[in-house]
Amino acid sequence: EIVLTQSPGTLSLSPGERATLSCRASQSVGSSSLAWYQQKPGQAPRLLIYAVSSRATGIPDRFSGSGAGADFTLTITRLDPEDFGVYYCHQYGSSPGTFGQGTKVEIK
Amino acid sequence: QVPLLQSGPEVKKPGSSVKVSCKASGDTFSRYIINWVRQAPGQGPEWMGKITPILDVSNYAPKFQDRVRITADKSTSTVYMELSSLRSEDTAFYYCTRGHYYDSWGQGTLVTVSS
């Protein structure tokens, strides 16, 4: 199965700053099948990005995804206080689908 | 209308089984695959398996192949996940999700395994 490694483990930034989250796969992710989710305490994850760079319905344009092959990035420009939480990448191109271990974004 | 609505929390003994339900609304049942994903405390999500409800075809992650069964009831648009031979490490939130990438999640069902 494909192992996804996310970095950094924790990101502590101030509102208005830029956040860059990395997701590296143990092998190439097929068909650009890479998604990103945000999870807040006590809630189910929420889809942000699918197919590497497509924003889900209702997701603000300060969230963007990029990458190819085995290296992917989620960028949050101009961090908003509501953006705190844990972010997970997810590959769904190969079975079994797998998730990264998460990056926690803390708002200073 | 909530696309996916799950059953309530469960407390189970080690060695027993649990069956969690997920009622799909609207066209979710007929148009989407339904997955089961679990998340242990402080960990990332983990895919367990999926079903194509209209075809009644299921696929499972190798890790759970021997212990999980996912079924669908067309008459009630409900998908079920049954996990057997429970152990303490199975304590987690269990979510149903739809699609290949998960644009909708159930609210989660906490399954606690404790003697």
Side-chain angles (χ1 to χ4, degrees):
Chain A
E1 70 178 46
I2 295 178
V3 176
L4 299 179
T5 302
Q6 293 186 240
S7 61
T10 302
L11 210 45
S12 187
L13 296 167
S14 298
E17 288 192 301
R18 180 187 188 95
T20 302
L21 287 67
S22 173
C23 176
R24 183 159 292 176
S26 58
Q27 57 189 276
S28 184
V29 173
S31 305
S32 299
S33 300
L34 194 287
W36 291 91
Y37 303 84
Q38 176 195 64
Q39 186 175 33
K40 296 190 176 185
Q43 297 182 16
R46 176 177 71 142
L47 177 68
L48 300 174
I49 301 286
Y50 64 95
V52 178
S53 59
S54 297
R55 270 188 301 276
T57 303
I59 301 303
D61 60 7
R62 65 178 181 273
F63 290 92
S64 64
S66 62
D71 281 296
F72 302 93
T73 300
L74 175 70
T75 302
I76 313 171
T77 57
R78 305 180 309 277
L79 264 174
D80 187 282
E82 70 179 21
D83 296 335
F84 76 92
V86 181
Y87 291 77
Y88 295 101
C89 57
H90 164 222
Q91 71 80 21
Y92 51 94
S94 301
S95 187
T98 50
F99 290 81
Q101 81 282 13
T103 290
K104 184 177 183 180
V105 175
E106 297 179 334
I107 306 297
K108 279 184 180 176
Chain B
Q1 228 176 1
V2 177
L4 299 167
L5 190 61
Q6 298 183 221
S7 50
E10 301 268 7
V11 180
K12 294 292 181 180
K13 300 284 189 191
S16 67
S17 298
V18 68
K19 193 170 187 178
V20 182
S21 68
C22 172
K23 184 169 176 61
S25 70
D27 62 357
T28 294
F29 189 85
S30 59
R31 290 185 58 198
Y32 293 86
I33 61 170
I34 303 294
N35 305 274
W36 285 92
V37 174
R38 79 176 187 181
Q39 188 173 30
Q43 297 190 22
E46 182 177 32
W47 182 75
M48 301 177 68
K50 66 180 179 183
I51 189 167
T52 305
I54 57 170
L55 300 177
D56 208 16
V57 173
S58 302
N59 300 95
Y60 304 113
K63 175 177 178 177
F64 299 101
Q65 179 77 40
D66 295 336
R67 297 199 293 140
V68 71
R69 185 165 178 250
I70 299 173
T71 56
D73 183 339
K74 294 181 179 67
S75 67
T76 59
S77 298
T78 301
V79 174
Y80 298 91
M81 185 283 299
E82 185 170 21
L83 186 63
S84 61
S85 303
L86 289 169
R87 36 210 188 230
S88 59
E89 310 88 89
D90 293 319
T91 294
F93 276 95
Y94 289 77
Y95 296 98
C96 56
T97 70
R98 75 176 187 188
H100 296 286
Y101 50 86
Y102 309 153
D103 66 349
S104 185
W105 295 61
Q107 81 276 21
T109 297
L110 178 61
V111 175
T112 303
V113 183
S114 174
S115 55

